Amino acid sequence: MKRKPTPATRAIHGGGPTHRVNQPVVPPLHLSSTFEARDIDEQVALEEAKADTFYTRYGNPTLSLAETVVADLEGAEAAAVFGSGMTAITTTLLAHLKAGDHAVFQREIYGGVHRFAREILPSYGVSVGWFDAVDAAGVESALQENTRVLYLESPTNPTLKLVDIERVARIARARGIPTLIDSTFASPFNTRPHELGIDGVLHSATKYLGGHSDLLAGALAGSRPLVSRVKSYLRVLGGILDPHAAYLLIRGMKTLELRVTRHNENALEAARFLEGHPKVRAVHYPMLESHPQHELARRQMKGGGGVLSFEVAGGLGEAKKFANALELVRVAPSLGSVESLLSIPCLTSHAMLSPEERRRAGIGDGLVRLAIGVESPEDLVSDISGALEEI
Ligand SMILES: *Cc1c(COP(=O)(O)O)cnc(C)c1O
């Protein structure tokens, strides 16, 4: 080809150039936990080279293919895949921190990561500081002499706040502090944080990358040295991805661009409909002109993604009535999948916060989170509209 294909095209063609040789169109699934060497010398060489044909905890050709595609989608040199998003995040943090170090976390981050930062890291001698997503300048005052990681997430759950990735990355880089971001909500189609200066981009690949609610996986993309360092921890901590799930992940990533394009369109249409509805108060979605960081959203995102949230007038009782009246949208945690899902954050993901903490985070009792899927938009709007009639 005269031009280099886009990442979306390469994701369909196995992450690399196609060859005119007789081979399966779909890559084989390597289930073997171990690999035979010709002789002992070759086996030693395979282990030393960290080959993906030695022992599956060290690597496996199916996992390597998944990694090639993830790296390509993020515009990064290398990637690693993990058994879950949480394993990707905790393994990456452990590979960056040791006793005596300091780490700065964004206040609004995934619940499991918040708990890891607040309870587990301090028990290993790592001290932790915090900053607010919307206050990029506030990062500066949270950094210390011994800060070894700055950890971000954008957009945030469930209020869809953004962090100015490029600006925060510049502040950290000037101080030589590695940056990590949980980019699950954006997906590599909507934002490519590595190109904005972030060192390590993390995903719960359970969500958009897999895309079909049928696997758990995590991913990290970044420079080759960063990924190698984290992989050396992964080989010891052992949170590797099962090859079956890696196979499904590879299949899912082939349609990432198609799916996320539709998620973006559907969620914007649902957000616009909700914004004009008399029974709805605030609607949170980055691509609405009313979003307080809409300018930033347009700069750093191609689309707003599938997740939006809104406040039902009348509070929790009415929010529950709305949830129970939906027919198409299902009551389930998670996001980024083909089917639309709903949750009420004050009862689920943010139930462990005190009412005061929730109020400060902008999570009212009537807040409903919708993870919009790829159904026909007219069916979604009709389902949402019908359920609002019930309250
Ligand atoms: C789901 C999720 C995680 C955790 O991923 P798992 O695959 O469930 O371990 C981390 N961060 C975000 C933003 C998520 O949505």
Side-chain angles (χ1 to χ4, degrees), residues 81-88 91 206 215-219 234 238-242 245:
V81 290
F82 303 78
S84 69
M86 279 308 299
T87 316
T91 305
T206 310
L215 65 90
L216 261 96
L234 171 61
I240 66 136
L241 182 59
D242 177 71

Side-chain angles (χ1 to χ4, degrees), residues 83-89 109-113 151 153 155 157 182-185 203-207 215-218 334-335 369:
S84 69
M86 279 308 299
T87 316
I89 295 163
I109 47 173
Y110 185 71
V113 183
Y151 185 96
E153 183 175 323
N157 180 41
D182 181 341
S183 194
T184 301
F185 270 52
H203 284 281
S204 168
T206 310
K207 316 292 167 55
L215 65 90
L216 261 96
S334 201
L335 64 124
R369 186 188 89 169

Side-chain angles (χ1 to χ4, degrees), residues 248-267:
L248 289 173
L249 176 59
I250 292 162
R251 185 163 73 174
M253 290 188 292
K254 293 183 190 199
T255 56
L256 179 76
E257 181 174 313
L258 269 178
R259 286 185 288 104
V260 177
T261 301
R262 178 69 163 237
H263 281 291
N264 288 344
E265 290 166 6
N266 278 1

